[in-house]
Amino acid sequence: MKEIILWEEERIRFWSKVDKEGGNGCWVWTGAICRDGYGHFRAGRMLKAHRVANTLARGPIEPGRI
């Protein structure tokens, strides 16, 4: 899996699609949902929203995780 790197404008656009007050302490993706049921975000290529959120909040994802 390629490393997720976003420009500042992409980061702002990404976070605008996350409802951090979604209830039960969960962050709710309000952007596109694809047929696989996962939230997706386009930033030069299609990325899974949960992977982008994890990377932006915690840093790079270890190989084999999520």
Side-chain angles (χ1 to χ4, degrees):
M1 182 61 71
K2 285 184 169 183
E3 183 179 359
I4 297 172
I5 301 173
L6 300 178
W7 296 101
E8 184 62 23
E9 295 82 14
E10 292 169 325
R11 290 172 188 247
I12 292 167
R13 187 167 54 88
F14 176 83
W15 288 122
S16 76
K17 299 176 186 303
V18 177
D19 178 3
K20 293 182 180 177
E21 304 296 325
N24 298 326
C26 296
W27 292 358
V28 178
W29 177 248
T30 63
I33 306 284
C34 286
R35 284 179 273 180
D36 64 4
Y38 286 96
H40 279 76
F41 180 71
R42 181 169 292 284
R45 61 189 167 116
M46 193 63 75
L47 302 167
K48 292 195 174 182
H50 68 282
R51 294 184 63 85
V52 176
N54 188 84
T55 298
L56 294 177
R58 298 181 177 193
I61 300 170
E62 298 173 24
R65 304 285 290 172
I66 312 181

